[in-house]
Every structure is written in C-alpha cells, then in structure tokens.
C-alpha cells in the first residue's frame, strides 16, 4: 500500500517536472534574445564604469536603446580593446560597443553595423609645447598611443617617430602627462572629455582633426544579429532617441551620419586571407627580436636580483633585530603584492608622486622594467639564499671557526660554496619564473616578446597563430634555461665531477 502511494507521488512529481520544463522552455523561446556585448570600460565618455560599478557612457546608452528598438536585451562583458575583435571571431561576444572605427582591415574580420558616430583623431601635447600642430611635426618624436587603434596606425606612419603602445588610452595620456613622450594621438572626443572633466591637467589638443572616422558596432562575420542591430539603430536615429543620448553626453546636436563608412563603395573590399604558415613565418622575425629583449630583461634583472637578494637574504640572518625586520618587511611587501601592481606603481605612480611635490622626474622604460623585475625577484632570491645558508649544518661553521676562520671567511669559503649548490635548483626556477614574468612589462609599452605578438594581432587579427607562436618561443627560452641550469648543477657537483674524472682516469 505504502509502496503504491510512493510510486504515485513519484509519478506526479516527474510529471510536474516535465510540465515545468516544457512551460519554461516555451516562455524562454518567446523571450527576446540577449546579446553579450563586449565593452572596453576605460574609454570615457563612450564606455566607462560608474562609481557603483555599472557600465555607463554614450555607447552603453546607445546599445541599450538599440536593443530596445531592435528587440534584444544586452549583457556587458568587459574586454580590452585589442581583444574585442578576437573575442567576436571566437564567438565569446555577440557584438561590441567600443568606439570602434569602421576600417577596411577590420571589415575583413568582423561585420560592422551602419555608422553610429562621427569622430576623428587629434594630437594632444603638454601645455607649453611649441612646434607641434600637425602630423608632420611629429617626425622623430616620441608618441604614446593605445594598442590596436586607428591612432596607433596613424602615428606609426610618421617617419622616424618612436611609438609607445599602451593597453588603454588613459595610460597613453598619463605617459604624456608624466613627460615621457611628446604627444598622444587619440580619438578627439575622448581626449577632450578627459581634459574637460579635469582628470587630465596640463594637456591640450593642438591643430585640426587628423582624420574623419565613423564608429560602428562590430559583430561576428555573418552574424544573424546584424539586421536586428541595424534596424534598432535606424529606429533610434529617426525617433529622436539618438539625438537625446548625443545631447546627454556631448551637449550638442548630432551631425548627419552617412549610410556607409566607405562612401559610395557600400561594402569593404575583401582581400585574400593568408594561410597559417605564412602568418607565422611573417611574424617570426619580429617575435625573435622581441625574444631577444625578453632575454635581456630577464638576464639583467636576475643579475641585480641576485645581488640584492643575497644581501637581503644575509640580512634576514643578521643578529641585529632591526636589520632582520627590515629585510623581512621588504620580502613580505614584494612577495605579497602582485608584480603587475608593482610595475604600475613604479612606472606611473612614482613619477606622478614626485611631480606632485614639484620634482621633475621621469622614468626610462627599460630602467623602470629592470627596477620592478629586480626588486621583485630579489625578494624571492633572498628567501632562497636564506634557506640555502641555513641548510648547511652548524658543525661546519664550528669546524671552520675552530680552524681560526672568522665569520666572514667562514661564510665565504665554507658555507656559501656549499649553499650555492643547494640554491641552484630553486634559483633556476626563479629565473624561469622571471623570464615569463617579463611579459608583464608589456603594460608599460615595452616591446618584448609578448607585446610584439599582441601588436601583430592588432594588425592582422590572427590571435591563434600568433599567441601559439609566442607561447612556443617562451617554451624554447625556458627549456634552454633549464638545460643551462642542469649543466651548472652538474659542473658544480664535486661528486659527479670527481667521479667523471676517475672514470676518465681509469680509461
Ligand atoms: N576609435 C579608435 C579605433 O577604433 C579607438 C577606439 C578605442 O580605443 N576604444 O581604433
């Protein structure tokens, strides 16, 4: 009887579940689609974050209105600008609003909506700079730009210009403010907004606009949503919503927009796509040049890191308490905070702080990278040195001292040579970690291996081939280094050395 009732309950439960699933799927299918829209939220006034963490800006309002008119919802996903096209290609985002200029090259990789904003590039300089008003004046000058942007492309065409690429336009502008470059080439509305809001003092725009550009909403090629987006855009352009949003952010009447960004030629011209092997072969020389810089960075940083780390490691073992504590504090700070934050602090924060107190200080990028990497690795190396020294039995120093050696001699002739051998494997690990960590200095515009790869992707939109090649070059570097350290271990091992000598002797 009980069994029978249990069966009935189970059956009605199952039936209920099936009904629920059917009804909810029916409701879902009637629901409007929700597009995942990529944004780069550090490009005010187009897209940025409100203090409460919400996305805001002209583009954000625009896509919401387009969605309402075109019959789709939106959820935002924050992605760096140079990652947006790869994300669309990979299908991780359905569309993007990123103040993205419609260009021929980009139109090969993504499908653009009709133009929704008229903009142009402008040159920004520090107050008091003279002699720069047009692109030609930038010949031989240092220019900061955002990676993968039309500003970067325009600046790179200037003869002899030294281009510094940053992940975000704000960083390029900060670089100008800090006095490390002569100019920034960036979208005029963005630079103007930064100046107007007072976030960027001492900077001004000079001369005429360099270009006339139109922003579009990029979607994956052949996206079924393109029509919805275009219809939504058309509706809000006609019903006054667009003008309202424009008024809100720019306090002006919107200009007339063309149907297509390419004038009378309605669509972008297609050029044949290169095969993967050609893409890799074309990129290889640049990547190898970057690899050389990576090696240089790692070698110089590990050299200073070794000196600093040895001193701090020995200080950790000092009998003087303040010395021990200072060494401990250093290690805790540099091990306990992310290297990326340290790089930003040293390169952007430190000069800004000194300038705020009236000192005219700028940091050379190589120096800043070396300082950040060596300070960081010194903290790790200090612990390796301390552990290495402590691993040598007390009897050894007792014996040395009974032979009449003082403490420095004991350390130098007895403890250190043995400790060094024990330190080698962890030092090898540290070197490999450092080699990989050099990729982080790409954020200060340093063109090492990873950045070279990123720059090529920003041009050709072939992330898979490029990042796979970059990974392989890093792998080759780390494998070579670990071979080098194994060799050192073998050479420094007296047991193996003497056994190979006896072997040779017996032959
Ligand atoms: N409009 C510029 C471009 O498309 C910059 C866009 C951006 O940085 N978000 O290249």
């Amino acid at each position: 009887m009980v069994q029978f009732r249990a069966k009935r309950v189970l059956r009605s439960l199952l039936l209920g579940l099936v009904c629920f699933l059917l009804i909810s799927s029916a409701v879902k299918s009637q629901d409007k689609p929700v597009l995942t829209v990529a944004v780069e939220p550090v490009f005010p006034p187009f897209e940025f974050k409100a203090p409460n963490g919400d996305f805001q800006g002209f583009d954000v309002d625009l896509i919401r209105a387009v969605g309402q008119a075109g019959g789709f919802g939106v959820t935002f996903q924050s992605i760096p600008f140079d990652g947006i096209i790869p994300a669309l290609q990979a299908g991780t985002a359905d569309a993007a609003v990123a103040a993205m200029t419609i260009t021929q090259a980009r139109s090969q990789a993504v499908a653009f909506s009709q133009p929704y904003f008229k903009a142009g590039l402008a040159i920004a300089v520090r107050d008091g700079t003279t002699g720069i008003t047009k692109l030609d004046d930038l010949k031989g000058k240092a220019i900061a730009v955002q990676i993968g942007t039309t500003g970067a492309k325009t600046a790179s065409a200037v003869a002899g210009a030294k281009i510094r690429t940053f992940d975000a336009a704000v960083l390029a502008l900060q670089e100008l403010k800090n006095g490390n470059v002569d100019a920034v080439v960036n979208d005029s509305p963005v630079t103007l907004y930064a100046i107007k809001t007072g976030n960027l003092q001492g900077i001004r725009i000079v001369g005429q606009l360099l270009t006339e550009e139109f922003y579009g909403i990029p979607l994956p090629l052949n996206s079924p949503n393109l029509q919805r987006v275009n219809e939504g855009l058309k509706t809000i352009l006609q019903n006054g919503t667009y003008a309202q949003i424009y008024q809100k952010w720019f306090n002006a009447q919107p200009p007339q927009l063309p149907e297509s960004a390419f004038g009378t030629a309605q669509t972008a011209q297609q050029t044949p796509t290169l095969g993967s092997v050609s893409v890799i072969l074309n990129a290889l020389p640049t990547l190898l040049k970057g690899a050389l810089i990576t090696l240089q960075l790692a070698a110089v940083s590990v050299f200073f890191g070794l000196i600093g780390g040895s001193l701090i490691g020995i200080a950790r073992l000092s009998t003087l308490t303040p010395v021990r504590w200072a060494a401990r504090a250093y290690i805790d700070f540099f091990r306990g905070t992310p290297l990326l934050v340290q790089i930003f602090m040293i390169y952007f924060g430190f000069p800004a702080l000194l300038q705020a107190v009236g000192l005219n200080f700028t940091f050379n990028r190589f120096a800043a990278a070396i300082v950040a990497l060596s300070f960081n690795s010194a903290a790790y190396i200090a612990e390796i040195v301390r552990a290495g020294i402590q691993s040598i039995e007390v009897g050894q120093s007792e014996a040395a001292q009974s032979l009449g050696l003082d403490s420095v001699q004991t350390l130098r002739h007895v403890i250190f040579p043995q400790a060094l051998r024990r330190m080698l494997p962890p030092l090898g690990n540290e070197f490999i970690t450092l080699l990989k960590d050099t990729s982080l200095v790409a954020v200060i515009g340093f063109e090492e291996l990873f950045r070279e790869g990123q720059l090529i992707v920003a041009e050709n939109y072939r992330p898979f081939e490029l990042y796979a090649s970059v990974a392989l070059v890093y792998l080759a570097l780390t494998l070579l280094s670990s071979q080098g350290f194994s060799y050192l271990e073998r050479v420094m091992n007296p047991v193996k050395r003497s056994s190979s000598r006896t072997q040779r002797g017996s032959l």
Side-chain angles (χ1 to χ4, degrees):
M1 184 69 190
V2 177
Q3 213 180 8
F4 181 66
R5 202 179 297 150
K7 252 189 192 162
R8 254 200 357 215
V9 169
L10 198 68
R11 201 187 300 151
S12 42
L13 263 179
L14 267 177
L15 210 71
L17 189 71
V18 169
C19 285
F20 173 76
L21 285 178
L22 276 178
I23 291 168
S24 63
S25 73
V27 168
K28 245 206 174 123
S29 67
Q30 275 168 14
D31 245 0
K32 54 183 186 180
V34 175
L35 303 195
T36 304
V37 177
V39 275
E40 180 220 9
V42 282
F43 210 57
F46 292 98
E47 40 269 323
F48 58 116
K49 281 207 163 170
N52 68 1
D54 282 350
F55 292 107
Q56 61 172 347
F58 176 86
D59 280 355
V60 173
D61 287 352
L62 178 110
I63 193 71
R64 284 205 177 111
V66 168
Q68 219 156 42
F72 62 87
V74 292
T75 59
F76 293 104
Q77 195 178 71
S78 145
I79 296 181
F81 185 72
D82 64 315
I84 287 180
I85 290 185
L88 291 170
Q89 286 174 317
T92 40
D94 301 313
V97 281
M100 189 181 282
T101 304
I102 305 173
T103 66
Q104 292 276 3
R106 288 176 184 160
S107 303
Q108 315 276 323
V110 288
F112 277 105
S113 70
Q114 68 177 75
Y116 73 83
F117 192 87
K118 184 177 167 190
L121 295 173
I123 302 175
V125 295
R126 271 184 307 279
D127 283 341
T129 307
T130 50
I132 298 179
T133 53
K134 49 188 191 313
L135 210 51
D136 261 0
D137 301 333
L138 293 176
K139 275 187 186 145
K141 296 261 192 291
I143 315 172
V145 293
Q146 184 188 354
I147 188 168
T149 59
T150 45
K153 194 140 184 83
T154 307
S156 66
V158 178
K162 294 181 271 302
I163 309 294
R164 312 264 159 90
T165 39
F166 291 86
D167 289 328
V170 274
L171 294 179
L173 290 166
Q174 184 66 45
E175 180 80 345
L176 174 66
K177 197 173 166 224
N178 285 358
N180 293 328
V181 290
D182 304 301
V184 162
V185 176
N186 186 34
D187 293 35
S188 150
V190 174
T191 309
L192 276 177
Y193 188 83
I195 296 171
K196 207 180 73 195
T197 48
N199 292 336
L200 197 71
Q201 278 155 3
I203 303 285
R204 67 199 167 88
I205 281 192
V206 286
Q208 306 282 313
L209 286 188
L210 307 175
T211 50
E212 179 179 82
E213 303 187 358
F214 294 100
Y215 297 163
I217 300 170
L219 294 97
L221 286 175
N222 306 320
S223 164
N225 297 313
L226 181 63
Q227 206 191 343
R228 274 200 195 100
V229 169
N230 272 333
E231 270 164 17
L233 254 177
K234 252 192 207 98
T235 312
I236 68 159
L237 277 164
Q238 278 161 8
N239 69 12
T241 313
Y242 177 85
Q244 257 171 27
I245 300 175
Y246 199 95
Q247 187 74 38
K248 172 179 168 191
W249 290 101
F250 299 101
N251 219 355
Q253 285 295 316
Q256 201 62 37
L257 291 171
E259 283 272 308
S260 154
F262 303 119
T264 42
Q266 284 291 312
T267 50
Q269 284 145 20
Q270 292 290 322
T271 49
T273 39
L274 281 181
S276 296
V277 178
S278 321
V279 168
I280 294 172
L281 286 181
N282 286 346
L284 216 53
T286 319
L287 292 186
L288 292 179
K289 201 180 84 205
L292 214 64
I293 310 256
T294 291
L295 265 182
Q296 261 172 26
L297 270 176
V300 179
S301 308
V302 91
F303 173 75
F304 287 119
L306 261 177
I307 298 176
S310 306
L311 294 177
I312 298 163
I314 293 169
R316 272 276 273 136
L317 298 170
S318 166
T319 42
L320 300 171
T321 318
V323 175
R324 234 174 27 238
W325 278 37
R328 181 75 211 243
Y330 178 93
I331 295 170
D332 281 348
F333 179 78
F334 281 97
R335 257 190 350 184
T337 53
L339 177 55
L340 192 61
V341 178
Q342 292 164 18
I343 295 171
F344 270 85
M345 242 175 60
I346 290 174
Y347 192 62
F348 293 110
F350 198 53
L353 177 78
L354 292 183
Q355 281 169 22
V357 296
L359 289 170
N360 195 9
F361 178 83
T362 60
F363 228 144
N364 167 291
R365 275 180 314 163
F366 190 70
I370 296 290
V371 167
L373 290 170
S374 357
F375 274 31
N376 185 274
S377 69
Y380 289 91
I381 292 176
E383 283 298 84
I384 297 174
V385 170
R386 178 191 60 79
I389 292 176
Q390 278 181 330
S391 74
I392 307 298
E393 304 72 26
V394 213
Q396 298 256 352
S397 51
E398 285 168 1
Q401 263 145 26
S402 70
L403 285 173
L405 271 70
D406 64 27
S407 56
V408 175
Q409 284 172 326
T410 309
L411 197 65
R412 194 169 146 214
H413 297 294
V414 180
I415 311 286
F416 215 71
Q418 300 182 67
L420 186 64
R421 232 178 327 119
R422 298 196 183 165
M423 286 182 232
L424 261 186
L427 279 178
N429 276 344
E430 176 53 26
F431 183 73
I432 287 173
T433 307
L434 187 70
L435 196 79
K436 291 182 292 176
D437 281 352
T438 52
S439 60
L440 290 173
V441 299
V443 291
I444 59 172
F446 212 86
E447 277 157 33
E448 39 63 70
L449 174 55
F450 172 62
R451 185 53 137 214
E452 291 289 11
Q454 258 187 319
L455 285 169
I456 304 175
V457 175
E459 280 281 321
N460 68 4
Y461 309 113
R462 300 292 286 262
F464 177 71
E465 287 91 341
L466 259 302
Y467 292 132
S469 313
V470 167
L472 283 178
V473 178
Y474 273 115
L475 186 64
L477 292 182
T478 50
L479 286 178
L480 270 176
S481 320
S482 67
Q483 282 299 321
F485 272 92
S486 311
Y487 173 76
L488 268 182
E489 266 176 60
R490 246 176 296 132
V491 170
M492 289 179 68
N493 187 338
V495 181
K496 282 203 185 138
R497 237 184 359 207
S498 60
S499 76
S500 67
R501 219 178 287 145
T502 27
Q503 263 176 13
R504 238 178 295 147
S506 65
L507 276 174

